[in-house]
Amino acid sequence: MSLGVKEEASEGAPDTRIKHTFARLKGQGRKALISFITAGDPGPEFTVPGLHAMVAGGADLLELGIPFSDPEAEGPTIQAANERALAKGITLKKVLAMVAEFRQQDTQTPVILMGYLNSILAMADFAEQASKAGVDGLIMVNLPPEEGHELQTQLAANGIDLIYLIAPTTTDARATEIMRNASGFIYYVSLKGVTGTGSVLADEVGVRTSGLRAATQIPLCVGFGIRDAQTASALSQHSDGVVVGSVLVEKLAAGGDPATACHALKDTIESIRHGLDQQD
Amino acid sequence: MSEAFDGNNYAQPTQDGHFGEFGGRFVAETLTHALDGLATLYNDMKNDPEFRRELHHDLTHYVGRPTPLYFAQRMTAELGGAAVYLKREDLNHTGAHKVCNTIGQALLAKRMGKPRVIAETGAGQHGVATATVAARLGLACDIYMGEEDVRRQSLNVYRMKLMGARVIPVSSGSKTLKDAMNEAMRDWVTNVDDTHYIIGTVAGPHPYPMLVRDFASIIGQEARAQMLEQEGRLPNVVVACVGGGSNAMGIFHPFINDTDVDLVGVEAGGHGIASGAHAAPLNDGKVGVLHGNRSYLMSDDDGQIMETHSISAGLDYPGVGPEHAFLKDIGRATYSSATDDEAMQAFRMLNQREGILPALETSHALAWVVANAPLMSKDDIILVNLSGRGDKDILTVADIDGITLT
């Protein structure tokens, strides 16, 4: 595989929380742990404490889902999370307010919003509002780079990275193009499927991600189907970090008050963190 | 569009699937490769003599085309205005125009070597049409259908099962067509290597809006030629119902360069546009992105897709094909709506005056005719796409009439 885009790395771009975090981890020889929950699930009072709990458990970056009525790339777990959050009246405006509240106590941990384009289209000044709230990145599941230039430009002007995905089915030529336009980090989708389902073949993923990593200076993280320390550790061998989502959402769905749920989140993150830090 | 439409050079979409600002490809990255492959294959096949021959053979000998163009004499007399002609798509094998698209896409699936097809369905017509071609070609077939639609279209559910398809009820969201489409996308993203997704309308990511339109355009091609043959002239108006919009695109497309012919799409007005309980995004929606394309959508201020209402399951969808959005914005087509009640009234009229049982979807187009034919001159001609037959709706109609069939 020859993917020659290394020279394209965005030198001279302003320092961001995302860049700073990956640089720090690299210096420590550690892998990034990115943890996902859906904003407002199972109720608005869970989200900000949940974000802090995940940081306390060892998460390096936080991914917060914007609830959407038609989350077409999600498995049953995160679909249900979306429905619970929407039933509580969560809107994008409220999601941004949650990020702003989180930022009052944590000014360092990057926060990345994840969701579907129609949510963003409904807020004309999203980039400015998100920047003001303290958002660092945006993952749009249904926005490939071909359609993403306009939004990426608006976001960049507000210091927010649009994070693109690469899938097992993405050709090398296309991956090169995606990495050329990438900002923040690359999200490698570990399996053909929806979130939280299927079993990840770590060796297969490793072959692909090591090839991709050799061709870019942008960090590459792996997500979809990572439920435990062992898988996280295996996938981190050939990546800069892993994304964990559905297993955390299950903890929130299990019931109990926010304090109990936050404990469960923290414990789960700690165990995965431990697995990641143990390798080699 | 690359150059302005001047009435004889309509050529949409662009290479990357855009109709002006509409259309495009807004999907999870995993699907891009399959969509590229489909677009390339379709591009190679559409002018391939062997593919054309096979398609034509199936449409002739299996589907029963060409369908008749029928002058609805008693309806015309009763309305007292324009002459009403019906393009009898209800006479296709399986009872609706949908099979023209599924035949075409199944032939593509066969060429791709994919042993399995999936589809979403609302009224069940597309599901039946997909199950039909799957049975004929020996393909495994799973149909996603909202729980609510499984209930109100039980006859079609049973038809699909008889043909060996598995019908998977979808219980997420509003339990209707949009949720079935979400679930079909999730299946496809998981099984993309061995599965072809037969989208049933002119929506979805590129190349679907284009290829579904092209396969459905046989309707307009035949109707245009038949009209010239029978009347020696083109109609003044072509009218069709619009949910996702495949039957409308199919009959509109061959008439787009005939700028003297008005194109009218009729959306589902449900309980009335003002009530909010409808499925009419071109009348009362905003531009957004759902199911892979940018178009008009029924969505709220937070970008959430709204629940829609229509008496007809096949029109009960919050989006609409991007080419309709484009035709609306360039002013080449106009889009009105008909309420549940207006559709029911037209449904009864066609039964009683012409002995034709139309689908409830189709009855929305007929409702426009009932309202507008009397306002037109007796020299005018309305061409209606009679997109499907209404056998599947018998239980719904009986229910409205307070009759329980056993």
Side-chain angles (χ1 to χ4, degrees), chain A residues 11-273:
Chain A
E11 282 167 36
D15 204 16
T16 64
R17 277 187 282 258
I18 293 176
K19 265 195 173 173
H20 186 260
T21 300
F22 280 105
R24 173 177 57 78
L25 289 165
K26 199 173 179 186
Q28 298 168 338
R30 298 168 78 213
K31 304 294 182 168
L33 176 53
I34 305 175
S35 64
F36 170 93
I37 57 173
T38 300
D41 168 45
E45 69 279 16
F46 286 76
T47 305
V48 174
L51 294 173
H52 287 304
M54 294 192 294
V55 175
D60 303 298
L61 297 92
L62 300 168
E63 204 186 302
L64 192 57
I66 305 165
F68 182 52
S69 53
D70 294 78
E72 64 201 23
E74 313 302 340
T77 303
I78 298 180
Q79 282 178 49
N82 278 273
E83 289 184 10
R84 284 190 297 268
L86 289 173
K88 297 279 181 178
I90 304 300
T91 60
L92 179 54
K93 212 170 159 183
K94 290 181 182 172
V95 176
L96 294 180
M98 290 171 182
V99 177
E101 191 188 333
F102 171 79
R103 277 276 169 260
Q104 290 174 5
Q105 286 178 52
D106 187 328
T107 58
Q108 300 301 314
T109 311
V111 174
I112 296 144
L113 297 185
M114 189 282 250
Y116 294 80
L117 186 57
N118 210 50
S119 301
I120 303 303
L121 295 177
M123 187 182 277
D125 57 350
F126 169 78
E128 290 128 50
Q129 294 298 329
S131 174
K132 220 180 280 177
V135 171
D136 303 285
L138 180 69
I139 299 173
M140 289 277 92
V141 179
N142 60 347
L143 183 66
E146 290 85 348
E147 305 281 0
H149 297 309
E150 192 184 330
L151 180 60
Q152 191 174 25
T153 308
Q154 288 170 13
L155 292 171
N158 288 277
I160 297 174
D161 293 320
L162 184 58
I163 291 151
Y164 286 127
L165 299 99
I166 293 179
T169 52
T170 308
T171 62
D172 285 342
R174 183 174 163 81
T176 302
E177 211 36 49
I178 293 174
M179 292 191 292
R180 199 188 297 279
N181 293 310
S183 49
F185 62 91
I186 296 283
Y187 189 130
Y188 184 77
V189 179
S190 63
L191 49 79
K192 292 169 210 157
V194 292
T195 51
T197 56
S199 50
V200 184
L201 302 171
D203 292 349
E204 210 172 277
V205 174
V207 170
R208 186 76 200 274
T209 54
S210 35
L212 294 170
R213 273 175 96 207
T216 180
Q217 288 184 353
I218 295 215
L220 183 145
C221 299
V222 182
F224 275 46
I226 303 173
R227 303 186 55 83
D228 52 39
Q230 200 188 347
T231 320
S233 173
L235 290 175
S236 71
Q237 305 284 335
H238 300 287
S239 69
D240 299 291
V242 296
V243 186
V244 179
S246 293
V247 67
L248 301 173
V249 171
E250 283 166 19
K251 302 290 170 198
L252 289 170
D257 57 15
T260 313
C262 287
H263 271 294
L265 280 183
K266 182 163 171 278
D267 286 350
T268 309
I269 298 277
E270 267 172 357
S271 109
I272 295 171
R273 175 85 264 166

Side-chain angles (χ1 to χ4, degrees), chain A residues 67-72 74 79 83 86 91-92 117-118 122 141-142 144 147 165 167 169-171 174 192-194, chain B residues 18 24-30 32-33 172-173 178 182 185-186 189-190 193 288-289 291 299 301-305:
Chain A
F68 182 52
S69 53
D70 294 78
E72 64 201 23
E74 313 302 340
Q79 282 178 49
E83 289 184 10
L86 289 173
T91 60
L92 179 54
L117 186 57
N118 210 50
V141 179
N142 60 347
E147 305 281 0
L165 299 99
T169 52
T170 308
T171 62
R174 183 174 163 81
K192 292 169 210 157
V194 292
Chain B
H18 290 96
R25 186 186 282 174
F26 296 86
V27 290
E29 174 62 23
T30 308
T32 297
H33 183 62
S172 56
K178 82 174 173 73
N182 290 335
M185 302 273 270
R186 291 178 187 125
V189 93
T190 309
D193 290 335
V289 167
H291 295 151
S299 70
D301 291 342
D302 188 43
Q304 307 298 342
I305 309 307

Side-chain angles (χ1 to χ4, degrees), chain B residues 46-386:
Chain B
K46 70 179 176 195
N47 297 314
D48 177 74
E50 177 54 25
F51 184 83
R52 304 291 325 168
R53 192 198 61 73
E54 206 173 340
L55 182 61
H56 183 260
H57 178 273
D58 284 1
L59 291 175
T60 307
H61 299 288
Y62 186 64
V63 175
R65 300 201 71 96
T67 58
L69 178 70
Y70 167 74
F71 173 50
Q73 194 170 6
R74 292 194 69 217
M75 190 175 183
T76 298
E78 172 156 341
L79 294 173
V84 180
Y85 278 79
L86 308 176
K87 177 60 175 165
R88 296 291 307 276
E89 293 302 305
D90 58 318
L91 296 177
N92 280 302
H93 176 46
T94 73
H97 72 288
K98 293 284 188 189
V99 74
C100 303
N101 168 48
T102 61
I103 290 264
Q105 287 202 49
L107 291 178
L108 292 176
K110 209 173 84 175
R111 273 179 173 64
M112 288 185 279
K114 295 194 169 178
R116 176 176 180 256
V117 292
I118 56 170
E120 83 293 340
T121 196
Q125 288 303 100
H126 175 57
V128 167
T130 302
T132 299
V133 297
R136 179 160 172 272
L137 296 178
L139 304 170
C141 179
D142 284 337
I143 305 292
Y144 290 93
M145 189 167 186
E147 257 180 11
E148 171 68 13
D149 293 335
V150 168
R151 187 189 60 73
R152 59 180 163 175
Q153 301 288 341
S154 56
L155 291 177
N156 271 344
V157 172
Y158 189 54
R159 287 172 76 191
M160 289 182 261
K161 289 181 177 170
L162 284 174
M163 288 183 282
R166 196 159 59 132
V167 179
I168 304 172
V170 176
S171 59
S172 56
S174 60
K175 305 175 176 56
T176 60
L177 181 53
K178 82 174 173 73
D179 309 283
M181 201 153 175
N182 290 335
E183 212 51 42
M185 302 273 270
R186 291 178 187 125
D187 180 314
W188 199 34
V189 93
T190 309
N191 301 297
V192 63
D193 290 335
D194 72 349
T195 298
H196 174 62
Y197 178 16
I198 301 188
I199 290 185
T201 192
V202 287
H206 176 68
Y208 284 103
M210 172 181 74
L211 73 85
V212 176
R213 173 200 71 194
D214 290 354
F215 288 135
S217 289
I218 184 84
I219 305 169
Q221 288 157 13
E222 286 176 4
R224 192 174 182 282
Q226 289 166 322
M227 191 58 87
L228 288 173
E229 195 184 303
Q230 291 180 30
E231 284 284 333
R233 51 166 290 206
L234 295 177
N236 300 78
V237 185
V238 178
V239 57
C241 66
V242 178
S246 65
N247 90 79
M249 263 333 297
I251 199 163
F252 286 178
H253 192 249
F255 287 97
I256 289 179
N257 286 335
D258 301 315
T259 49
D260 289 343
V261 179
D262 291 340
L263 307 176
V264 177
V266 186
E267 294 193 304
H271 298 319
I273 298 296
S275 75
H278 59 77
L282 291 168
N283 281 275
D284 185 29
K286 49 185 117 174
V287 175
V289 167
L290 179 70
H291 295 151
N293 68 91
R294 184 191 297 266
S295 186
Y296 284 92
L297 271 183
M298 309 251 311
S299 70
D300 69 14
D301 291 342
D302 188 43
Q304 307 298 342
I305 309 307
M306 292 159 68
E307 296 207 357
T308 51
H309 166 77
S310 170
I311 193 174
S312 87
L315 302 183
D316 207 349
Y317 180 68
V320 63
E323 192 163 12
H324 286 297
F326 177 70
L327 292 176
K328 171 189 155 87
D329 277 16
I330 66 168
R332 180 61 191 93
T334 54
Y335 295 87
S336 70
S337 66
T339 64
D340 291 351
D341 291 347
E342 289 162 345
M344 279 307 303
Q345 195 194 334
F347 170 89
R348 292 183 201 282
M349 182 187 282
L350 201 70
N351 271 282
Q352 290 162 12
R353 297 293 175 273
E354 298 292 345
I356 296 172
L357 170 65
L360 289 178
E361 290 76 18
T362 310
S363 299
H364 289 71
L366 296 168
W368 186 93
V369 176
V370 170
N372 290 276
L375 310 176
M376 296 169 68
S377 151
K378 286 188 175 180
D379 297 331
D380 288 342
I381 297 174
I382 300 173
L383 168 63
V384 189
N385 191 355
L386 199 78

